[in-house]
């Protein structure tokens, strides 16, 4: 009886232990299944995070390229604005000189055509020829000045915008891209290969100085013509002749006060095409985008010296100032 009870209890415990072991195995299987699911989710999350980091890296690279492009566009806009201002400045300069030269030439010619000699008798035989020579010089010099300035003005408007074409912009953008990718401390942003300032220095400056010289030579000729006309008009009044001549001489001498302006117009520009006004320490990108560009060509003063345009500075200034 006791053995049966022991066997029954042992069988009951064995069954219960087997049931618990089976239940534990099922729970362990479910846990492993959930663990595999979590591992797959973690692997998927890791892949997603890696993809996100890669996309973020690509976005950062694209953002950097876009910022470089924006800097290049800003630099190109500054170049275009400078070119436009240079064209406007030179155009207004040529217009002003040509207008004054045309007024002086027209005044001298109309004065000659409307001048009445009356009963004047040239006793010396030199007054009338001198009057004709001074009138012809005034009209001739100022007319040539007007022609040169007018032709240069047309050339300025024709070629001024050609340096800002699509091809120039594309080449400039490529140079900016190379600057951004090959940057090293100390580099300066690029400049366009061509510009209106270079064109003016190499092809227009000499003609402009010649026209200004002719304009300056015409002014003393005009005063001399007026002085000779006074001797013809007031041939019966020596006092009137002397007073008129004296006033004209004083007026011509007073033009010496404009010496600084004529010198300023004719002086060689110190803002050359290649050198800094003052040394600036490189600070790295993006600040070095705003440094003075590194021009490839010669400086403005070198271009003008090569063209031989510095010889007429003093003569033109002297004739304009009357000193």
């Amino acid at each position: 009886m006791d053995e049966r009870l022991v066997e029954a209890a042992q069988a009951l415990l064995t069954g219960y232990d087997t049931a618990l072991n089976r239940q534990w195995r099922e729970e362990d299987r479910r846990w492993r299944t959930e663990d595999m699911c979590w591992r797959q989710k973690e692997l998927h999350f890791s892949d997603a995070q890696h993809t996100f980091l890669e996309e973020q890296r690509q976005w950062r690279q694209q953002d950097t390229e876009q910022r470089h492009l924006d800097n290049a566009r800003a630099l190109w806009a500054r170049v275009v604005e400078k070119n436009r201002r240079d064209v406007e400045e030179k155009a207004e300069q040529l217009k002003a000189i040509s207008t004054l030269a045309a007024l002086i030439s027209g005044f001298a010619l109309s004065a000659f055509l409307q001048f009445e000699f009356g009963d004047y008798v040239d006793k010396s035989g030199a007054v009338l020829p001198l009057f004709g020579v001074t009138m012809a010089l005034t009209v001739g010099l100022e007319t040539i000045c007007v022609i040169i300035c007018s032709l240069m003005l047309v050339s300025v408007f024709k070629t001024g915008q050609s340096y800002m074409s699509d091809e120039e912009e594309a080449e400039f953008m490529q140079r900016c891209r190379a600057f951004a990718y090959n940057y090293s401390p100390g580099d300066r942003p690029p400049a366009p290969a061509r510009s209106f300032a270079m064109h003016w220095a190499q092809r227009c400056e000499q003609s402009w100085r010649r026209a200004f010289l002719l304009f300056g030579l015409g002014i003393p000729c005009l005063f001399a013509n007026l002085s000779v006309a006074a001797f013809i008009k007031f041939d019966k009044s020596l006092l009137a002749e002397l007073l008129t001549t004296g006033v004209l001489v004083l007026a011509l001498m007073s033009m010496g006060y404009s010496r600084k302006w004529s010198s300023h117009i004719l002086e060689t520009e110190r803002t050359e095409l290649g050198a800094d006004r003052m040394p600036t320490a490189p600070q790295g990108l993006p600040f070095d985008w705003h440094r003075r560009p590194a021009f490839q060509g010669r400086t403005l003063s070198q271009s003008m010296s090569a063209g031989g345009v510095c010889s007429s500075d003093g003569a033109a200034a002297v004739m304009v100032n009357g000193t």
Side-chain angles (χ1 to χ4, degrees):
M1 184 66 181
D2 295 335
E3 293 180 358
R4 291 180 180 179
L5 290 176
V6 171
E7 291 178 356
Q10 187 175 2
L12 180 62
L13 292 175
T14 301
Y16 183 74
D17 183 66
T18 303
L20 289 177
N21 192 15
R22 187 182 301 110
Q23 184 179 1
W24 178 83
R25 290 181 178 276
E26 291 179 357
E27 290 180 357
D28 182 69
R29 190 179 297 110
R30 286 196 302 270
W31 179 85
R32 290 180 178 276
T33 303
E34 292 179 357
D35 183 68
M36 289 297 298
C37 291
W38 279 109
R39 288 179 179 274
Q40 291 178 358
K41 290 181 179 180
E42 185 178 5
L43 181 61
H44 178 71
F45 175 77
S46 178
D47 293 339
Q49 187 176 15
H50 178 72
T51 304
F52 172 76
L53 292 177
E54 186 65 25
E55 292 178 352
Q56 188 177 20
R57 189 180 299 108
Q58 294 178 359
W59 175 84
R60 181 59 181 172
Q61 183 178 1
Q62 294 174 358
D63 181 68
T64 303
E65 292 180 356
Q66 183 64 36
R67 290 178 182 273
H68 288 323
L69 179 61
D70 293 339
N71 290 327
R73 286 176 177 174
L75 191 60
W76 176 252
R78 186 172 63 183
V79 171
V80 171
E81 179 65 16
K82 184 181 183 303
N83 181 81
R84 183 185 65 81
R85 290 184 179 181
D86 288 341
V87 171
E88 291 181 354
E89 175 190 351
K90 302 305 181 183
E92 292 297 329
Q93 177 176 306
L94 293 172
K95 286 179 182 179
I97 297 300
S98 62
T99 301
L100 289 176
L103 288 175
I104 294 174
S105 177
F107 173 77
L109 184 59
S110 63
F112 166 73
L113 296 177
Q114 298 178 5
F115 191 76
E116 297 180 0
F117 294 92
D119 299 332
Y120 175 74
V121 178
D122 189 4
K123 297 179 182 180
S124 63
V127 177
L128 291 179
L130 186 59
F131 177 79
V133 169
T134 54
M135 183 277 301
L137 285 175
T138 302
V139 175
L141 293 174
E142 300 298 341
T143 302
I144 296 175
C145 176
V146 171
I147 294 174
I148 294 176
C149 290
S150 299
L151 294 178
M152 288 181 63
L153 182 62
V154 175
S155 176
V156 164
F157 282 123
K158 181 179 180 180
T159 62
Q161 300 300 324
S162 63
Y163 298 103
M164 300 295 110
S165 61
D166 295 337
E167 291 79 8
E168 296 287 340
E169 182 179 2
E171 180 184 359
F172 182 77
M173 289 299 178
Q174 289 295 328
R175 297 176 65 183
C176 289
R177 188 172 185 270
F179 165 76
Y181 282 99
N182 302 324
Y183 172 80
S184 60
D187 291 346
R188 294 188 297 173
R194 304 188 308 157
S195 66
F196 178 77
M198 297 180 185
H199 169 75
W200 179 269
Q202 296 174 358
R203 298 191 177 184
C204 301
E205 184 68 24
Q206 185 175 5
S207 299
W208 152 247
R209 288 173 177 270
R210 185 181 299 112
F212 193 82
L213 174 62
L214 295 175
F215 172 75
L217 290 172
I219 294 177
C221 293
L222 174 64
F223 280 87
N225 181 257
L226 294 177
S227 179
V228 176
F231 277 90
I232 297 175
K233 193 72 174 180
F234 309 116
D235 60 324
K236 297 181 181 180
S237 177
L238 180 61
L239 180 60
E241 295 174 355
L242 295 177
L243 288 176
T244 304
T245 304
V247 171
L248 291 173
V249 171
L250 290 176
L252 186 62
M253 293 177 61
S254 66
M255 294 183 62
Y257 290 104
S258 63
R259 181 183 183 87
K260 63 178 181 179
W261 300 116
S262 58
S263 300
H264 177 70
I265 293 174
L266 291 173
E267 71 180 359
T268 303
E269 295 184 10
R270 298 304 178 184
T271 309
E272 65 272 32
L273 303 180
D276 286 332
R277 292 182 178 179
M278 60 177 299
T280 55
Q283 301 178 357
L285 295 178
F287 297 100
D288 282 355
W289 275 103
H290 301 279
R291 297 184 67 197
R292 185 172 179 82
F295 288 88
Q296 302 293 330
R298 296 177 297 180
T299 63
L300 186 58
S301 58
Q302 291 174 345
S303 300
M304 292 172 59
S305 300
V309 297
C310 298
S311 59
S312 60
D313 293 6
V318 167
M319 299 314 300
V320 171
N321 297 333
T323 58

